[in-house]
Amino acid sequence: GHKFTEFTDLPYPLPGKYFDPKIAHETYQEHIKAWKLMDELGFDGVGFNEHHTTPHSLMNSPNMLIAVAAQHTKRLKFLVMGYLLPMHDPLLVAEETAMADQISGGRVIAGLARGAPREYHVFSMPAQEARARFEESYEIIMKAWTQETFSHEGKFWKYKDISLWPKPYQQPHPPIWIPVTGSKETLDWAGSRNYPIAL
């Protein structure tokens, strides 16, 4: 098995025996307190990420946390950094993001991300498919958010006669930001669509 090579090195996978439910519960409660205080102090927004099978982040579902945070805040915006598009059914991402936008009264900023090798491994997705999956997923999400009814027949996903319910609160859709880690392809893709990037 994997051995600790230095103090900061975490084995993959980190066995569940190290998980403490009380600490996880306290962590989520501390997040809620922090979001409430940020809202009271006038912060513009807070970032949520999506990671899986890691103790570095217990944010497996950004939209679930947004739904909670929206109930404890009034103005704070929620930037997702970002939804890992290649790993998920894009219709579900479109639906859940629209729900979060409705619940929060239009405070979602949708960060659309390609993801990283760790997540590819978690979801058993070939890394060479990530770019094509990301771009096709983006196309589907935009159709779902902006068209009354849409159909799609692509390499990875197929839908026929779909009408999204609910639509996002923000029209035509939540603002889109593109989280980047330095990929020239992603920078070019975001730039060609005039989307802000998030580092």
Side-chain angles (χ1 to χ4, degrees):
H2 191 292
K3 302 290 185 195
F4 285 94
T5 55
E6 56 181 271
F7 182 72
T8 59
D9 192 18
L10 281 172
Y12 180 83
L14 183 65
K17 67 182 179 180
Y18 295 107
F19 178 79
D20 185 330
K22 290 181 181 175
I23 291 175
H25 174 74
E26 289 170 6
T27 299
Y28 288 125
Q29 297 307 308
E30 287 172 5
H31 278 64
I32 292 169
K33 288 178 188 172
W35 300 329
K36 288 171 75 170
L37 182 59
M38 291 174 72
D39 194 50
E40 291 165 10
L41 294 174
F43 278 78
D44 292 329
V46 62
F48 294 84
N49 56 27
E50 179 190 337
H51 288 299
H52 300 272
T53 72
T54 173
H56 289 311
S57 169
L58 299 180
M59 294 188 176
N60 314 85
S61 172
N63 284 328
M64 182 176 285
L65 289 178
I66 289 170
V68 171
Q71 303 309 299
H72 294 276
T73 58
K74 293 181 174 67
R75 296 172 299 278
L76 200 65
K77 293 187 183 296
F78 309 115
L79 168 60
V80 181
M81 301 187 41
Y83 300 113
L84 304 180
L85 298 192
M87 276 64 87
H88 303 302
D89 181 321
L91 182 59
L92 187 61
V93 173
E95 288 176 329
E96 290 189 354
T97 305
M99 286 177 66
D101 201 44
Q102 287 289 346
I103 290 167
S104 68
R107 292 188 276 152
V108 171
I109 300 171
L112 306 181
R114 191 175 58 167
R118 179 188 181 92
E119 271 79 31
Y120 305 159
H121 178 77
V122 168
F123 287 90
S124 300
M125 189 200 75
Q128 61 270 23
E129 291 183 3
R131 169 66 52 189
R133 282 179 172 269
F134 170 84
E135 292 184 2
E136 185 177 337
S137 181
Y138 164 80
E139 181 183 339
I140 293 162
I141 291 167
M142 295 306 290
K143 286 179 181 178
W145 283 346
T146 61
Q147 297 180 13
E148 287 192 26
T149 304
F150 80 93
S151 295
H152 177 88
E153 185 155 345
K155 180 176 180 183
F156 303 104
W157 295 284
K158 294 175 175 52
Y159 306 94
K160 184 169 176 54
D161 300 331
I162 301 296
S163 292
L164 194 72
W165 286 77
K167 294 281 191 186
Y169 183 91
Q170 300 175 89
Q171 290 298 309
H173 55 74
I176 293 172
W177 288 23
I178 306 300
V180 296
T181 56
S183 160
K184 184 180 184 304
E185 283 181 325
T186 301
L187 287 168
D188 289 345
W189 188 91
S192 70
R193 290 158 180 80
N194 202 29
Y195 287 144
I197 60 170
L199 300 175

